[in-house]
Amino acid sequence: MRTVGIIGGTGLNEIDGVDVVERRELSTPWGRPSAPAQRLAWPDGSDCWFLPRHGDGHTIAPHRINYRANIDALRLLGVTHVVSVAAVGGIAPGNRPGDLALVDDLIDYTWGRAHTFADGVAAPLRHIEFAPPFDPQWRQVILNVAGEVGVAIDHHAVLGVTQGPRLETAAEIRRLAHDGCSLVGMTTMPEAALAMEAGLAYATLAVVVNPAAGTVDGSIHAAIEASLDMGMAQVRRILTHLVAAD
Ligand code: HPA
C-alpha cells in the first residue's frame, strides 16, 4: 500500500479542484515544516498529503526551507512515496519552457543547508547510498501514468541544484552544462537525500519554466508565467492519476 506525499514548489502552492479535507500542524525534532500539511481528497476517492515547500504564501527562500522538518513531517504522517514538484531552468536545448522532466540524476551545488538526519550528533552517523538518488520503481510508476494521460516527459535529465535565490551567471550555467547538467533548480537538495535517509521513495517532477542564464538573448524571465501555467497543468494531469495508480 502506497501513501503519496506531494511537495509543491513554485507554481504549485495549492492544487485546484481537489478538496482539502484536513490541515495538520506538525512539529518535529527538527522544527516546524514549511506549512501545515494538507490531506487532499481526489475525485476518484483516493487521498494523499500535500506540503507547499515555500510555505502557504510562497515566502520561504530555497536556502531557508526546513527540509528536515518537511521530510520528517511527511514520514510522521505515514507517507511512503514522495513526488516533489520543482520549477527549473532548462540548460540542454531539448529542455524548453513548458516541458516536463522526471529527473534521473543530480549534482548538488548547494551549501550551508541542514542536509542530514544522520550526522552522529542528533542521530547515529550513517552513509546512505545515493546512486541512484531517485527511486527507480517510483519513477517508473510516474512515467507509466504520464504515458497513460498522454503527457510527454523527458526521463534522462540531470539536475544541477544551486543555492539561489538568485539565478545563475552565464559562466555558472556553462560550468553546469560541462558537468553534465541538463536542468538547474534550487530545491531538490537536500530534500532528496533526506527522503532517502528517512526511507521514503522520492522522485522529482521538474517543470522547465525558463531557459537557463546565457542560453538565450535577453531576460530569461520573460515567458516564465506562461510556461509555469502550461507545465503545471500537465503536472496536475499526472498527479490526478498518480495517487491511485497501481
Ligand atoms: N536556475 C535555478 N533555479 C531555477 C531556475 C533557474 O534558471 N528557474 C527556476 N528555478
Side-chain angles (χ1 to χ4, degrees):
M1 216 6 221
R2 200 184 286 135
T3 301
V4 174
I6 301 168
I7 303 182
T10 303
L12 196 74
N13 292 316
E14 54 188 30
I15 305 184
D16 306 333
V18 187
D19 292 332
V20 179
V21 289
E22 183 183 353
R23 278 177 201 273
R24 188 88 65 90
E25 292 260 9
L26 287 155
S27 67
T28 77
W30 317 97
R32 296 174 84 78
S34 300
Q38 303 171 20
R39 195 158 67 83
L40 306 181
W42 296 83
D44 63 5
S46 59
D47 66 286
C48 72
W49 288 98
F50 176 75
L51 193 61
R53 72 160 72 76
H54 295 283
D56 278 331
H58 198 90
T59 51
I60 311 174
H63 65 294
R64 299 187 62 96
I65 291 168
N66 189 339
Y67 294 96
R68 292 194 297 191
N70 286 354
I71 292 296
D72 205 33
L74 293 178
R75 186 188 63 80
L76 289 167
L77 290 166
V79 165
T80 56
H81 289 70
V82 177
V83 55
S84 140
V85 180
V88 301
I91 298 177
N95 295 107
R96 286 178 300 274
D99 287 353
L100 258 53
L102 191 63
V103 182
D104 75 340
D105 212 338
L106 64 81
I107 301 179
D108 184 8
Y109 300 92
T110 67
W111 47 271
R113 304 182 181 190
H115 63 283
T116 180
F117 295 118
D119 63 358
V121 180
L125 173 62
R126 279 169 61 211
H127 301 283
I128 53 158
E129 279 193 39
F130 200 46
F134 304 103
D135 187 86
Q137 284 86 23
W138 181 220
R139 287 184 73 254
Q140 193 55 54
V141 173
I142 298 170
L143 285 177
N144 292 348
V145 169
E148 282 159 21
V149 297
V151 173
I153 192 160
D154 173 11
H155 57 279
H156 288 300
V158 178
L159 178 69
V161 189
T162 55
Q163 180 72 351
R166 68 166 177 83
L167 298 174
E168 297 71 33
T169 66
E172 286 169 337
I173 292 298
R174 281 198 300 277
R175 172 191 172 203
L176 266 65
H178 186 259
D179 286 354
C181 299
S182 48
L183 302 171
V184 56
M186 299 176 190
T187 53
T188 297
M189 286 301 288
E191 204 173 79
L194 290 164
M196 181 83 83
E197 286 186 353
L200 308 183
Y202 177 97
T204 291
L205 187 52
V207 178
V208 181
V209 295
N210 59 273
T215 61
V216 290
D217 292 334
S219 166
I220 59 171
H221 260 151
I224 202 162
E225 288 298 329
S227 321
L228 195 58
D229 291 350
M230 198 162 79
M232 287 303 164
Q234 306 278 64
V235 166
R236 283 191 192 92
R237 283 180 62 188
I238 294 175
L239 294 179
T240 302
H241 293 85
L242 183 64
V243 174
D246 293 332

